[in-house]
Amino acid sequence: KILDAHINRGAAYAQQGLFNEAFADFNRVIDLPESGTKYVALALYNRGFVHGQLEHPKDAIADYTEVIELRESSTELVASALNNRGLAYYRLDRYEDAIADYTGAILSGSSNELIAHALRNRGNVYRFLKQFEESIADYTEVIELRESSTEQTAEALFNRAVAYEHLEQFDEAINDYTKVTALPDTPSEQRAKAIYNRSNSYRNLDRFDDAIADYTQIIELPEASTELVASALNNRGFVY
């Protein structure tokens, strides 16, 4: 169908960074009289996504709002639009609106994969607002969802550990950082950061031998960034 072709070509243009061409295809679908509501919703969603990539949050919000308000939009599309509109609100420092949208996505009855994304994003907003107990609750739900990918689980464990550190619950933080390092498919950069943060929690508990061991591990890790290695060297020297 011509409408599918415009949607797919617009998405391909967007992936290549050809945003004007992408907008032209999405606008064509939105403006065509024969476009049904389903295609209009898809085009609006994709156009909103491109606005988000271009850091035009107000335009993204406008498109996602139309998607959400269209009765014929699928549950999955509405949940995705709510999640993405929440990101746009966050960029505009409209944190309560972001939380409301993430909550809407969580309660939408969509797939657990989308719910996991919304829980993570809401947890991040709560953590930014220093509402650490709320953020821990959201990260815990992500960790307990069977559909969460290893990467999502590792990120949620890492972020929950950071929240625990802010609450000075260092034993819990160490436990989570250790779980991050033990997951087989944890990205190497995140594993290195988990070891580094765990060493700082050890320091806060006066477990200096454990802290030194972690700092040494960071220094010897090929995948650790230059900045992380420099910090580990400095902190190990301080502990010595």
Side-chain angles (χ1 to χ4, degrees):
K1 290 182 180 180
I2 188 68
L3 297 174
D4 288 312
H6 279 300
I7 293 287
N8 293 335
R9 188 175 67 177
Y13 279 142
Q15 286 183 334
Q16 297 172 45
L18 300 171
F19 299 119
N20 288 332
E21 291 83 350
F23 281 134
D25 270 336
F26 298 142
N27 290 339
R28 178 70 172 160
V29 174
I30 294 165
D31 294 337
L32 278 172
E34 61 267 32
S35 295
T37 307
K38 172 188 171 182
Y39 284 102
V40 171
L42 283 171
L44 284 165
Y45 176 86
N46 280 284
R47 191 174 70 179
F49 188 82
V50 175
H51 280 309
Q53 287 183 306
L54 293 171
E55 297 186 6
H56 300 157
K58 291 182 180 179
D59 294 322
I61 287 167
D63 280 347
Y64 288 135
T65 299
E66 285 198 62
V67 174
I68 293 161
E69 292 176 351
L70 281 171
R71 291 183 180 179
E72 290 80 2
S73 294
S74 68
T75 300
E76 294 292 294
L77 197 64
V78 169
S80 293
L82 282 165
N83 190 48
N84 290 351
R85 190 174 70 173
L87 288 169
Y89 280 138
Y90 181 81
R91 288 177 178 173
L92 293 172
D93 300 334
R94 293 173 59 177
Y95 304 118
E96 294 305 321
D97 289 324
I99 289 171
D101 271 358
Y102 295 141
T103 302
I106 292 162
L107 299 175
S108 66
S110 64
S111 68
N112 281 345
E113 183 181 358
L114 278 172
I115 290 172
H117 282 298
L119 283 164
R120 176 202 63 188
N121 290 338
R122 189 175 69 176
N124 290 344
V125 178
Y126 281 138
R127 184 159 59 92
F128 178 80
L129 295 175
K130 302 188 186 303
Q131 298 179 30
F132 299 117
E133 291 181 357
E134 288 85 350
S135 71
I136 287 169
D138 278 350
Y139 295 140
T140 299
E141 285 200 58
V142 175
I143 294 161
E144 292 176 351
L145 275 175
R146 291 183 181 179
E147 290 80 2
S148 294
S149 65
T150 301
E151 187 174 348
Q152 285 177 319
T153 300
E155 183 183 10
L157 282 164
F158 185 93
N159 289 340
R160 187 172 71 173
V162 172
Y164 278 137
E165 284 185 306
H166 282 290
L167 293 174
E168 299 186 358
Q169 297 179 23
F170 299 114
D171 285 319
E172 289 83 353
I174 288 167
N175 186 47
D176 276 353
Y177 287 135
T178 300
K179 288 179 181 177
V180 173
T181 66
L183 285 171
D185 297 322
T186 298
S188 57
E189 183 180 351
Q190 192 169 48
R191 180 178 285 108
K193 288 180 180 178
I195 295 168
Y196 177 81
N197 284 8
R198 185 176 66 183
S199 64
N200 291 332
S201 288
Y202 281 138
R203 273 182 61 190
N204 282 308
L205 292 174
D206 294 336
R207 292 173 58 178
F208 299 120
D209 288 342
D210 291 321
I212 289 169
D214 272 355
Y215 289 135
T216 301
Q217 191 175 348
I218 289 295
I219 294 162
E220 296 173 353
L221 272 178
E223 59 266 32
S225 67
T226 303
E227 182 179 0
L228 207 62
V229 170
S231 294
L233 282 164
N234 182 67
N235 289 345
R236 188 176 67 173
F238 181 81
V239 174
Y240 279 145

